[in-house]
Amino acid sequence: MSKRYDWDLIERLLHHVQNSVAIEDASETHAAELRALLLERGFIAAHTSGAGGSGEGATLTANGASLLAMIDSSIPGNDHPRQVLDEQADALDPATFDEVASKAQIA
């Protein structure tokens, strides 16, 4: 059985990290859990000391930027990559994501 993720929330989190904006909404707890997962799995990276801003001290990694490009709702046809990601046992597993993202028809 595949693990399903809230791609809309992940997209918002990645946009917020990209734009250095803190996320504030009713799903803050779930967002914090997803943010921790994205950090742990290398989709976002914590700033080193001295970095400022309100983006909770993180930046997108290359994989984070790739994931954002795949699931970005402003891009027509983003449903297909989300569907392919949902079909994986765990789409945010780094090795699984690298394999899926390397397929030209997905990325």
Side-chain angles (χ1 to χ4, degrees):
M1 178 157 174
S2 65
K3 184 170 185 167
R4 299 190 56 100
Y5 290 100
D6 183 342
W7 298 117
D8 290 332
L9 181 54
I10 290 172
E11 176 188 357
R12 285 188 20 235
L13 282 166
L14 293 173
H15 274 297
H16 286 186
V17 168
Q18 182 181 46
N19 297 319
S20 296
V21 177
I23 188 164
E24 297 172 13
D25 64 14
S27 60
E28 189 174 327
T29 300
H30 186 57
E33 292 168 358
L34 278 174
R35 184 183 182 286
L37 179 70
L38 294 170
L39 183 64
E40 173 186 315
R41 297 212 178 160
F43 292 94
I44 59 177
H47 285 297
T48 56
S49 64
S54 59
E56 301 180 44
T59 58
L60 290 183
T61 63
N63 271 357
S66 180
L67 176 60
L68 180 57
M70 289 174 69
I71 66 172
D72 196 330
S73 61
S74 68
I75 300 172
N78 78 320
D79 289 342
H80 178 68
R82 287 179 180 207
Q83 179 183 7
V84 171
L85 290 168
D86 280 340
E87 292 169 356
Q88 308 308 307
D90 185 350
L92 295 182
D93 172 74
T96 302
F97 179 77
D98 287 344
E99 182 180 330
V100 172
S102 70
K103 297 178 181 176
Q105 69 272 23
I106 302 302

